[in-house]
Amino acid sequence: MECRLAKQALKERGRWYLEPVPGTVLWGLALLAVLAVAAAVRWELLATRSLWYDEGYSLFVARMGGRQILQFLKANDAHPAGYYVLLSFWIQRFGEGLLVARLPSFVFGVAAVALTWLVASRLHGPASAAVAALLVAIHPFQVMASNELRMYSLLTVLVLAAVLAAVRAIRGGDSWALLLGVLWAAVGYTSYYGLLAVVGMAAALWTGGHRKVAGLAAATGLALYLPWLPYLAGFWRANPQLWTRETLWWGYPVELLAAQAFGGYWPDTFTYHTSFRGSVFLYVPLLVPYGLFAAATVALAGRERSEGLRLVRWTWMTAFVAILGLSLAMGWAAAYPRHLTFLQPLAACWVAVGLVELSRALRLRSRAAGLGVLWLLSLQGPALVAMQSDPRYQSYRYDLAARFVQSAFRAGDAVVYVPGGTSLAFEYYFRPPGPRVEVRIQPRPYRPEEWRPRFDRGLRALVGQVQRVWTVTTAPAPPAAEAALKEALGARGYRVVGERAFPGLKVSLAVRAR
């Protein structure tokens, strides 16, 4: 009887819907459905997607174990030790099989969807939570981060957990502030990019009048992070260019925004690994719905005081603006779009709140919200399908290249890797038993005329020893470096007799006349 009366009242008001109460079974089922979608798309290629350069490097570091990892990172790496130590612990106990080694990233990736639901639910209720979690569940960059041996899915979980702890700390309780400090330190031990989000959270708390929370969390986090501070000097020496080699271009800010929205993978747009530098105007219609719903959230924030929304806004904006500022100051990109994957759930929360707010301004609110969700899915859905199944978007196929070399490899053959480190992923699939040479080149520091002497020195050990030389080249080695390598081989009597291109790699065979 009460249900019929409620439906009649809604009908008289022109609203044909029933809105579930937060915390009901219906919302629980919705959460389970979203998590199932997230798990399914992340599991699909978990064990079959080819290992690539960065993942090979992660395994290389993780194999060292404990103290050696710390000593190596101090002078060689642009990332702190947290993820590498975790991966080392994992593979020592469960092995290096691709499925097993990537399993922690998969778990973190699904957990990030659940945490996004919790954050958005506390900000604005279950309707916004469902939309935000779904946007994270099918976001191409989030899926990719859940399929690789890198720290980004772990970083996403830590940042979302810190946002939740900050919201609870605002409501009172020193224990939540202490937990927030622990999470801030954990973020710093996982990625230096994440520290930008920590600064944003701290600033939001401090300027919002929650200085005790900010101070207690900062003191706790700094105390836990102090042991790592001596390693930062080595980080700056080893990474004077920070993490990228991409020159800055005027469409870079739009590309970063698009990565936070639909996640690339549309024709002529960027991917997790590459930037096609297509027309920036292509991004405009793709970004319209996200901009519209984000604007609605800004309007809500101006109308209602919401500490949670403010916290999310400051966290996201501080990191995003800092990356743009660093890029302008240095003259090249301070981050690839994938480096900011951990911010995407915050952007998803922002967009979801705006969608729900706009739908509430309309009479047929459930229908309007549904159309808005379909609009967003019509952008992210095709991008996810392209990433998962379109061969054009398989950026690296170290597996195919290694198996090709293995099939034609002869005893006594040598392999030359350009640049040095290419072997880390290639040799996961096939470790050549003969001589091997790694030539270390970096496009920015070295001028083209310097590459030939470096190849000459690298190839010196092969003179008079081998008849056949395989070369494996991959980005960031530019075409001019490949030409210099062929010249260096030719000067030693080798002639290239065959080449084979694979996504992200090129393999060639050079034979010396007897």
Side-chain angles (χ1 to χ4, degrees):
M1 180 66 177
E2 292 179 358
C3 182
R4 288 200 302 271
L5 290 174
K7 291 180 67 175
Q8 182 64 28
L10 292 173
K11 179 179 178 181
E12 292 173 356
R13 295 170 61 189
R15 299 181 182 177
W16 289 85
Y17 70 94
L18 285 175
E19 186 173 2
V21 176
T24 61
V25 173
L26 185 57
W27 284 120
L29 292 175
L31 172 58
L32 290 177
V34 172
L35 291 177
V37 170
V41 297
R42 284 157 175 75
W43 187 265
E44 181 185 2
L45 298 177
L46 187 67
T48 58
R49 199 187 300 278
S50 176
L51 200 80
W52 68 293
Y53 181 96
D54 285 14
E55 290 185 281
Y57 180 81
S58 293
L59 279 176
F60 167 73
V61 176
R63 289 173 184 138
M64 297 178 185
R67 182 173 299 179
Q68 284 183 301
I69 291 178
L70 298 179
Q71 293 173 346
F72 177 81
L73 295 183
K74 189 172 184 179
N76 294 282
D77 201 312
H79 296 281
Y83 175 75
Y84 296 124
V85 172
L86 174 65
L87 182 61
S88 179
F89 174 86
W90 182 262
I91 65 175
Q92 286 177 14
R93 283 154 182 80
F94 302 104
E96 296 183 14
L98 210 51
L99 175 63
V100 172
R102 285 173 170 169
L103 198 56
S105 293
F106 168 83
V107 172
F108 292 136
V110 176
V113 177
L115 287 171
T116 301
W117 180 292
L118 291 176
V119 170
S121 180
R122 290 192 176 277
L123 294 180
H124 201 247
S128 297
V131 176
L134 185 58
L135 293 179
V136 175
I138 65 169
H139 191 272
F141 277 27
Q142 290 292 338
V143 174
M144 195 70 180
S146 303
N147 281 178
E148 67 169 6
L149 299 172
R150 297 299 286 165
M151 64 286 300
Y152 303 119
S153 59
L154 170 60
L155 178 61
T156 304
V157 165
L158 292 173
V159 169
L160 288 170
V163 170
L164 280 172
V167 171
R168 294 298 299 268
I170 287 173
R171 298 176 180 175
D174 291 348
S175 59
W176 287 103
L178 292 172
L179 176 60
L180 178 60
V182 172
L183 290 169
W184 282 357
V187 167
Y189 278 111
T190 304
S191 171
Y192 296 120
Y193 285 119
L195 290 175
L196 300 176
V198 169
V199 171
M201 267 186 265
L205 292 170
W206 187 268
T207 59
H210 307 287
R211 297 189 174 185
K212 180 181 178 182
V213 173
L216 187 56
T220 303
L222 184 59
L224 294 173
Y225 202 62
L226 279 175
W228 188 251
L229 293 183
Y231 289 81
L232 293 180
F235 159 75
W236 287 112
R237 285 195 303 270
N239 301 278
Q241 304 169 42
L242 294 180
W243 300 269
T244 78
R245 299 177 177 87
E246 290 286 338
T247 56
L248 197 62
W249 68 297
W250 68 275
Y252 177 67
V254 180
E255 190 172 273
L256 289 183
L257 280 174
Q260 297 290 297
F262 61 89
Y265 287 95
W266 278 76
D268 297 321
T269 64
F270 61 94
T271 73
Y272 192 82
H273 294 124
T274 60
S275 173
F276 293 118
R277 298 290 174 89
S279 172
V280 172
F281 298 104
L282 174 65
Y283 296 97
V284 174
L286 298 174
L287 286 171
V288 164
Y290 301 96
L292 175 65
F293 299 138
T297 307
V298 172
L300 170 67
R303 188 173 68 249
E304 301 178 9
R305 179 175 175 80
S306 172
E307 289 295 333
L309 283 175
R310 185 174 181 276
L311 184 69
V312 168
R313 182 177 76 247
W314 276 69
T315 303
W316 187 88
M317 287 291 294
T318 300
F320 192 86
V321 172
I323 290 298
L324 290 180
L326 282 171
S327 300
L328 290 173
M330 296 185 302
W332 62 81
Y336 293 120
R338 68 172 179 269
H339 292 149
L340 302 186
T341 297
F342 71 97
L343 293 174
Q344 187 270 333
L346 302 181
C349 290
W350 200 249
V351 168
V353 169
L355 187 154
V356 173
E357 278 299 304
L358 274 182
S359 70
R360 286 177 177 173
L362 303 174
R363 290 180 63 80
L364 300 176
R365 78 164 91 164
S366 288
R367 188 176 300 174
L371 290 174
V373 171
L374 288 176
W375 191 9
L376 295 174
L377 295 184
S378 70
L379 300 176
Q380 287 195 190
L384 177 63
V385 171
M387 184 200 73
Q388 297 286 81
S389 58
D390 192 332
R392 293 176 298 175
Y393 295 112
Q394 296 179 11
S395 300
Y396 293 97
R397 292 305 303 267
Y398 281 85
D399 55 341
L400 296 181
R403 287 161 190 160
F404 171 74
V405 173
Q406 184 178 20
S407 67
F409 196 84
R410 298 179 185 175
D413 286 1
V415 179
V416 176
Y417 298 103
V418 181
T422 305
S423 62
L424 298 178
F426 183 92
E427 293 185 358
Y428 180 85
Y429 299 99
F430 171 57
R431 185 173 181 83
R436 57 195 295 279
V437 175
E438 295 191 52
V439 182
R440 300 190 176 278
I441 63 168
Q442 299 180 30
R444 187 176 293 275
Y446 302 125
R447 298 187 297 274
E449 58 268 22
E450 295 180 59
W451 291 330
R452 172 64 188 278
R454 296 183 71 84
F455 288 131
D456 286 335
R457 291 193 296 272
L459 297 173
R460 191 173 300 156
L462 301 180
V463 175
Q465 293 187 15
V466 296
Q467 182 73 20
R468 305 190 336 152
V469 175
W470 295 89
T471 62
V472 182
T473 59
T474 187
E482 293 183 19
L485 175 59
K486 290 180 180 179
E487 290 178 6
L489 286 168
R492 284 162 171 74
Y494 290 95
R495 180 173 61 90
V496 175
V497 298
E499 289 184 337
R500 179 80 176 269
F502 300 90
L505 297 94
K506 182 181 290 185
V507 174
S508 65
L509 175 62
V511 179
R512 190 176 62 188
R514 293 185 181 275

